[in-house]
Amino acid sequence: MSASNVTKDIFAVGILNPAMRIFDVVMKTEYGTSYNSYVVKGAEKTALVETCHLTFFDQYLENIRQVTDPAAIDYIILNHCEPDHSGVLGRLTELCPKAKILVSQAGSLYLKNITNNPSLPISVAKDGEQVDLGGKTLRFISAPFLHWPDSMFTWCPEEKVLFSCDVLGSHYCEPYTFDTNMAYPAKYEEAFKGYYDAIFGPFPSYVQSGLAKIRQLDVQTVCTSHGPVLTRGCRLEWAMEQYDQWSKPHKNERPLIPIFYCSAYGNTRKLAQMIQAGILEQIPDADCQAYDINDYDMGMLQGLLNRSDAFAVGSPTINADAVAPVWNLLSHVDAINNRKRPVLVFGSYGWSGEAVPNLVARLKGLKSAVFEEEFRTIFVPAEEELQKAKECGKRFAASLAK
Ligand SMILES: Cc1cc2nc3c(=O)[nH]c(=O)nc-3n(C[C@H](O)[C@H](O)[C@H](O)COP(=O)(O)O)c2cc1C
Ligand SMILES: [Fe+2]
Ligand SMILES: [Fe+2]
């Protein structure tokens, strides 16, 4: 897509990447993405806000040239230094001899190790500082952890435009700049939520403080770094409300204590059922269901685990380890918000029994509160062992009240 106007003096010069299907290794991007970048023209100076992924340098440069000679750029502002925002910087600065690069304090450190170019003219943009372009001001607002510790917003009060970095963005790609003429709104909403979960799910309190900062401004337009530009009266209010809902501290109505397991011959399953019975005996109103990991959608299980008050996880030992679906589930644990979450580990084994200790080691690595009495049985649990599993579940549930 070629350059387009956001306002009379602000231009979208970013790149669409409809073919992208996986972003940052972990995010599925079914609807592609865009690397949004903006030129802001004042009476005296010109700024470029955000750049682009290196892969698209030539096309990106073409877009910039449609609205300004790169040599005329005075400032390159990076709200965030992840390579989708900063990738072209090395090549671009060769064409912008007078451009000063403005980033947050953390960004200035990251950029050194991302570009490995000590001669780049990097300056720190402190919270509240601003640059005057001549009739257009760009003010920097610290927004840490939205997405990285280096993230910030850039605000242009004269145009009522906020350059929001990854905030309110989406991996979604239609050949339009604005949110006003989307062809597939339901798909956009799905992409918007997926983006929030992957990028901001771990940082709800930072999202709340970012939203509070945005609310203090009289924003008409949010120039995101990915996906459509959001406008007041169209998607902006909706997007802010969604972020607010998703990031508000929430408490489960009933204690949520899911049990996840796999079982080749039903032995670990029997333990899961008895642990469930024990938990429910201790906390009758608990939402405590046992899930065979192979029977459910991983995204659903991941959501349950990360919302839970505590959980149990069980695996048989197969070839000296826990089984792959259990590892896969644990790879989806939100490690930032999982700290201290109580977990009970259990499983049946035949002779060496590595599954349970290996899972315990992993969960301790995630700083979970592993219940001391992990529960293992050899081959088929006898009636007495089943009762012990139930008692273990009961004690685990009792420990949650402490
Ligand atoms: C293919 C296979 C490999 C196994 N490897 C081990 C092992 O390395 N160490 C061990 O303690 N048990 C091993 N076992 C035994 C199982 O852990 C044991 O049968 C257990 O009760 C299975 O529990 P489940 O019915 O919940 O799957 C193995 C079993 C199978 C089928
Ligand atoms: Fe990012
Ligand atoms: Fe980004």
Side-chain angles (χ1 to χ4, degrees):
M1 198 166 84
S2 54
S4 61
N5 283 80
V6 174
T7 66
K8 186 172 129 316
D9 296 315
I10 298 181
F11 305 85
V13 293
I15 289 294
L16 301 181
N17 183 2
M20 166 161 274
R21 287 296 172 268
I22 293 183
F23 187 87
D24 278 4
V25 187
V26 291
M27 287 186 73
K28 287 202 184 113
T29 52
E30 208 182 326
Y31 310 115
T33 193
S34 65
Y35 309 106
N36 301 344
S37 170
Y38 305 91
V39 168
V40 185
K41 285 188 178 177
E44 285 119 39
K45 292 187 169 169
T46 299
L48 180 69
V49 184
E50 309 284 26
T51 70
C52 177
H53 199 285
L54 183 57
T55 327
F56 300 93
F57 181 69
D58 294 338
Q59 201 184 334
Y60 174 58
L61 191 60
E62 183 63 27
N63 283 357
I64 294 176
R65 285 196 165 125
Q66 286 176 13
V67 300
T68 182
D69 176 358
I73 294 172
D74 298 278
Y75 301 108
I76 298 174
I77 296 162
L78 292 178
N79 281 334
H80 168 40
C81 295
E82 194 173 354
D84 56 317
H85 299 232
S86 67
V88 300
L89 196 64
R91 290 187 67 185
L92 185 64
T93 45
E94 289 168 14
L95 305 171
C96 313
K98 64 175 175 171
K100 231 168 137 180
I101 300 162
L102 295 174
V103 287
S104 67
Q105 175 72 39
S108 69
L109 301 176
Y110 301 171
L111 212 47
K112 283 193 183 111
N113 292 307
I114 288 172
T115 62
N116 291 317
N117 178 356
S119 61
L120 280 182
I122 299 172
S123 294
V124 172
K126 294 205 185 102
D127 185 39
E129 279 185 358
Q130 55 189 44
V131 290
D132 182 3
L133 306 180
K136 302 266 181 301
T137 316
L138 294 178
R139 191 190 313 150
F140 310 110
I141 301 170
S142 163
F145 291 99
L146 301 173
H147 162 212
W148 280 0
D150 65 339
S151 300
M152 64 179 192
F153 302 146
T154 297
W155 166 236
C156 180
E158 295 84 359
E159 299 277 6
K160 301 187 176 185
V161 167
L162 180 74
F163 301 93
S164 66
C165 190
D166 287 332
V167 170
L168 305 176
S170 53
H171 287 315
Y172 185 75
C173 182
E174 284 199 30
Y176 310 111
T177 301
F178 291 101
D179 55 359
T180 40
N181 39 12
M182 258 185 276
Y184 302 101
K187 292 183 177 176
Y188 166 68
E189 289 180 13
E190 184 192 326
F192 185 80
K193 170 78 164 117
Y195 187 86
Y196 176 90
D197 287 344
I199 302 284
F200 299 118
F203 307 110
S205 62
Y206 290 99
V207 172
Q208 282 290 322
S209 41
L211 291 178
K213 289 179 185 181
I214 297 175
R215 285 193 204 101
Q216 283 175 6
L217 310 168
D218 178 20
V219 180
Q220 287 298 318
T221 309
V222 168
C223 287
T224 59
S225 293
H226 308 283
V229 167
L230 307 183
T231 53
R232 185 165 289 281
C234 189
R235 283 284 176 173
L236 178 53
E237 293 88 339
W238 170 85
M240 292 279 291
E241 176 59 25
Q242 296 294 100
Y243 266 43
D244 189 38
Q245 290 300 325
W246 295 331
S247 60
K248 261 194 187 129
H250 93 283
K251 201 172 170 342
N252 294 318
E253 278 174 25
R254 297 189 290 149
L256 178 60
I257 314 172
I259 299 171
F260 308 103
Y261 70 92
C262 284
S263 189
Y265 293 101
N267 300 329
T268 306
R269 176 180 302 115
K270 283 183 190 152
L271 298 181
Q273 288 161 348
M274 294 312 283
I275 287 168
Q276 178 191 32
I279 291 172
L280 285 171
E281 200 168 294
Q282 182 69 30
I283 312 178
D285 74 330
D287 181 350
C288 177
Q289 292 183 54
Y291 300 90
D292 182 333
I293 296 171
N294 280 326
D295 290 346
Y296 293 88
D297 172 66
M298 188 53 78
M300 192 283 275
L301 296 177
Q302 172 191 0
L304 259 178
L305 190 158
N306 288 322
R307 280 199 312 279
S308 70
D309 296 293
F311 69 99
V313 61
S315 174
T317 297
I318 304 264
N319 298 331
D321 199 2
V323 293
V326 177
W327 287 123
N328 190 9
L329 176 68
L330 292 191
S331 78
H332 290 89
V333 169
D334 167 356
I336 292 166
N337 291 304
N338 191 64
R339 288 177 193 139
K340 302 205 174 108
R341 197 188 306 263
V343 53
L344 167 65
V345 185
F346 63 96
S348 168
Y349 69 102
W351 48 96
S352 51
E354 291 88 345
V356 166
N358 287 355
L359 292 174
V360 165
R362 161 81 178 145
L363 286 158
K364 284 191 171 160
L366 290 170
K367 312 262 188 309
S368 307
V370 180
F371 188 57
E372 290 141 19
E373 300 169 64
E374 60 194 45
F375 195 85
R376 288 197 291 175
T377 55
I378 299 177
F379 285 119
V380 181
E383 185 51 38
E384 188 189 332
E385 287 167 318
L386 291 174
Q387 286 313 314
K388 281 189 181 159
K390 188 173 171 187
E391 288 306 315
C392 180
K394 226 175 141 175
R395 283 195 305 279
F396 177 57
S399 76
L400 303 179
K402 284 174 192 157

